[in-house]
Amino acid sequence: MKKLLSLLVIACMAMQLSAQWSNDPSVNNVVYSNGETFGSLTATYEATGMTYIQWFILTSSGMRPMMQLYDNQGVAQWQENGIIISTNQNSSALYGTALEVSSDGCALVAFADTRNGDMNPFIYKISQTGEFLWGDNGVQLSNSDAYRIYVYPCNDGSAWAAWLGEACYMRHINADGTTDPIITIENNSDFGHVICDDNNNAIMAYFHKTGGTFMWPDREVKICKYSTSGTQIWLATTLIQSYSYNFSTELQFVPDGLGGGYVATKPVINNTHQAVMGHFNSDGIATTPVTGVFASIESNAYNYYPTISVDPTTNNCIMFFRRSNTTETTYQLKGQCFTATGNRLWTNTGVSLSGNNDYVYPITSAAVPTGGAVLIYEFGNTNNQSTIKALRVDADGEFVWDNESVYLCSLASSKSGSNVCSGFHNGQLIYSWNDARGPQGLYAQNLKLDGTLGPIQISIISGDANGDGSVNVSDINTVISYINENEPEDFIFDNADVNGDNAIDIRDIVLIVNIIMQ
């Protein structure tokens, strides 16, 4: 059945209309228009800008996972309203899902369903032509219950998955869909989030419960590292000491680009919510105080909903968060930048990024390749009607765009979504959300580095596969590496596809040789 689906997807790709990313924030791209949607995740393949969007719909058999693929201009590549990933029995509640892109450009989709009775986790690998590479029913990760699933791609087409059950678990899935042993993190661990290093070893940041009550547990943040075979490389180390947390708190966890990582969370300290950061280096050693580093030292204020990214030009951590008074009657967006040792660079209370009476909710953020970061946030009022805006700051916390903030969606309505965007690739990021406007469904919008919307302009230099501005033997080596499935870091698909057939093969190499010989 899935092979037939692949053929149908290919046929639909050939019949796509020329719809592109909207340049009007009141008229966004419709991803799914057949009714209410739940969850929304986006992930972009850096080499080509192809973007997967994944969501769920509620049916008589429970939550059903769906997915659509867009090219870098915003043209849907699959059938209208996307493809169905699984029709297996599922709960009517959504307990967690994850979407990433593998190093070979395929979607990695993980979720739990009740096809076997329990809430078991599964992971699928789906190609750009809609082929289910790890089988029609994916790969089962565990026979036990699973919630709060995370996925992180490795550099060889494989991936790590992490999930929460009775404790935190993680497992490596090889590029061919075979699996390595399940790794169990210590008892009383929860909300484990995983990334991996350049050698495909997994690094997990997780909460370890130390006491408290069910709804208000005391937790510390710990880190550990394992090989794909399950060998523990780092002993579990406390990164942030134990504080009181709301039961539902999750971790923000991002690699620092140097083999270590940053963690952000929001404990309750002295009866106030505080956004806190911790950092560890490539040896698994904490470089920040075990108390964590507060985004702001302001007293009598709540600082929460942190979202973090890493500035690639400095490897510093940029955090956006919401500040409110303790009665939660005024709200404000703020930003902070930390060094790996915990120095606050944007004053001790952070920079103010909105008015003090705005109803704002930070959703997600992304680093900008040239430095700084972009924040996507909801802007509106308290009666469940909001718009979606974005702002960009440079490495010093200064606004970059003339208007300071721009609309991704200027239509006020009830919205929900995930705290994940695609990140900046090819000069744009993609964000999707569930929207109760008419028609109710799933919507998406791109955002360019200059703060505008709409199709991007890509400069194509035929044959310049590595993007260095010239065509020479190094481009031939880059294409050969790509064909051999060793994903080159600087590969540009459109430049390498010299004959324009949307495939990279020996014919493109011959044409590059001809260009060099001219």
Side-chain angles (χ1 to χ4, degrees):
M1 177 179 177
K2 293 294 172 67
K3 289 183 178 179
L4 175 60
L5 176 59
S6 296
L7 294 175
L8 290 173
V9 167
I10 294 172
C12 289
M13 288 172 67
M15 297 187 295
Q16 283 297 324
L17 299 177
S18 59
Q20 295 180 312
W21 293 121
S22 170
N23 59 11
D24 183 348
S26 67
V27 184
N28 307 110
N29 291 58
V30 181
V31 181
Y32 182 86
S33 59
N34 279 359
E36 188 174 11
T37 58
F38 303 86
S40 59
L41 298 172
T42 61
T44 295
Y45 184 41
E46 185 172 357
T48 63
M50 288 286 192
T51 297
Y52 297 93
I53 299 180
Q54 193 266 314
W55 69 97
F56 287 80
I57 60 172
L58 183 59
T59 71
S60 58
S61 60
M63 288 289 184
R64 177 171 294 173
M66 310 282 292
M67 191 161 64
Q68 180 61 277
L69 176 67
Y70 287 88
D71 69 10
N72 56 29
Q73 297 299 300
V75 179
Q77 302 295 291
W78 295 344
Q79 64 199 43
E80 185 179 2
N81 286 317
I83 65 171
I84 300 171
I85 300 173
S86 170
T87 58
N88 288 296
Q89 185 67 36
N90 201 353
S91 169
S92 60
L94 186 59
Y95 290 103
T97 182
L99 173 69
E100 292 288 348
V101 178
S102 65
S103 62
D104 50 359
C106 301
L108 298 167
V109 185
F111 54 87
D113 65 33
T114 57
R115 69 184 71 173
N116 297 325
D118 296 324
M119 185 66 71
N120 300 150
F122 295 83
I123 186 169
Y124 291 71
K125 187 175 183 179
I126 303 173
S127 74
Q128 293 182 21
T129 59
E131 182 180 1
F132 285 60
L133 300 177
W134 288 348
D136 290 359
N137 288 302
V139 174
Q140 185 168 352
L141 295 170
S142 170
N143 293 320
S144 301
D145 285 343
Y147 311 94
R148 300 295 194 276
I149 300 173
Y150 296 95
V151 169
Y152 201 89
C154 300
N155 56 27
D156 61 355
S158 65
W160 280 93
W163 65 94
L164 173 63
E166 293 182 355
C168 291
Y169 304 90
M170 57 183 175
R171 190 172 201 175
H172 180 254
I173 308 94
N174 297 293
D176 62 0
T178 58
T179 53
D180 290 310
I182 295 175
I183 299 169
T184 304
I185 311 302
E186 63 182 305
N187 292 335
N188 295 318
S189 57
D190 62 5
F191 292 104
H193 198 324
V194 67
I195 62 174
C196 72
D197 65 14
D198 291 339
N199 296 316
N200 295 341
N201 301 309
I203 303 171
M204 176 177 277
Y206 62 97
F207 284 123
H208 177 244
K209 291 179 284 188
T210 59
T213 64
F214 176 76
M215 293 303 298
W216 288 95
D218 296 326
R219 292 170 167 146
E220 61 183 343
V221 178
K222 303 181 78 171
I223 57 169
C224 60
K225 186 175 186 177
Y226 285 83
S227 70
T228 57
S229 63
T231 301
Q232 189 167 7
I233 299 172
W234 296 343
L235 295 177
T237 301
T238 299
L239 185 65
I240 300 175
Q241 70 182 28
S242 183
Y243 292 114
S244 178
Y245 288 85
N246 179 278
F247 170 77
S248 62
T249 298
E250 297 186 40
L251 288 171
Q252 290 263 321
F253 184 30
V254 293
D256 66 0
L258 299 172
Y262 291 95
V263 171
T265 183
K266 55 179 181 69
V268 176
I269 304 171
N270 296 326
N271 295 317
T272 62
H273 297 271
Q274 295 296 334
V276 176
M277 180 279 296
H279 175 266
F280 60 91
N281 64 19
S282 60
D283 294 319
I285 298 172
T287 64
T288 48
V290 73
T291 53
V293 183
F294 291 15
S296 171
I297 63 172
E298 179 185 9
S299 60
N300 299 318
Y302 288 171
N303 299 297
Y304 45 6
Y305 302 131
T307 175
I308 58 175
S309 60
V310 175
D311 186 326
T313 65
T314 63
N315 301 105
N316 292 331
C317 176
I318 295 177
M319 177 190 289
F320 298 104
F321 58 98
R322 184 167 85 174
R323 183 259 184 212
S324 77
N325 58 6
T326 54
T327 58
E328 297 188 272
T329 55
T330 63
Y331 304 93
Q332 184 180 39
L333 287 176
K334 302 200 76 172
Q336 183 60 271
C337 185
F338 307 91
T339 67
T341 55
N343 292 327
R344 286 181 288 263
L345 300 181
W346 294 351
T347 80
N348 279 329
T349 56
V351 295
S352 298
L353 301 172
S354 75
N356 197 41
N357 293 311
D358 293 336
Y359 184 79
V360 288
Y361 176 79
I363 302 174
T364 186
S365 60
V368 174
T370 55
V374 164
L375 170 69
I376 297 174
Y377 62 100
E378 286 192 23
F379 176 84
N381 51 46
T382 56
N383 64 356
N384 203 28
Q385 300 288 304
S386 64
T387 58
I388 299 176
K389 301 188 75 172
L391 59 85
R392 177 182 170 185
V393 295
D394 62 19
D396 297 318
E398 300 289 337
F399 286 110
V400 173
W401 300 327
D402 291 341
N403 293 330
E404 295 187 356
S405 65
V406 300
Y407 281 103
L408 267 69
C409 176
S410 58
L411 182 65
S413 60
S414 176
K415 296 177 173 65
S416 65
S418 170
N419 61 341
V420 176
C421 67
S422 65
F424 276 102
H425 305 289
N426 298 292
Q428 67 178 352
L429 65 74
I430 316 300
Y431 181 69
S432 63
W433 66 93
N434 313 301
D435 201 317
R437 73 167 86 172
Q440 184 178 33
L442 186 70
Y443 290 77
Q445 182 63 60
N446 77 323
L447 173 67
K448 293 185 281 189
L449 280 169
D450 62 0
T452 61
L453 315 178
I456 59 174
Q457 300 296 320
I458 298 178
S459 176
I460 298 176
I461 303 176
S462 185
D464 182 20
N466 60 9
D468 65 357
S470 62
V471 182
N472 51 43
V473 174
S474 65
D475 297 298
I476 296 175
N477 294 332
T478 298
V479 172
I480 292 173
S481 180
Y482 178 86
I483 293 173
N484 290 332
E485 298 183 352
N486 299 318
E487 183 65 38
E489 182 177 353
D490 298 322
F491 183 74
I492 300 178
F493 186 95
D494 288 338
N495 288 358
D497 184 20
V498 183
N499 62 4
D501 65 352
N502 203 34
I504 306 298
D505 52 35
I506 187 65
R507 291 170 292 183
D508 296 298
I509 294 177
V510 172
L511 292 173
I512 292 175
V513 171
N514 290 339
I515 294 172
I516 295 172
M517 297 299 292
Q518 288 176 356

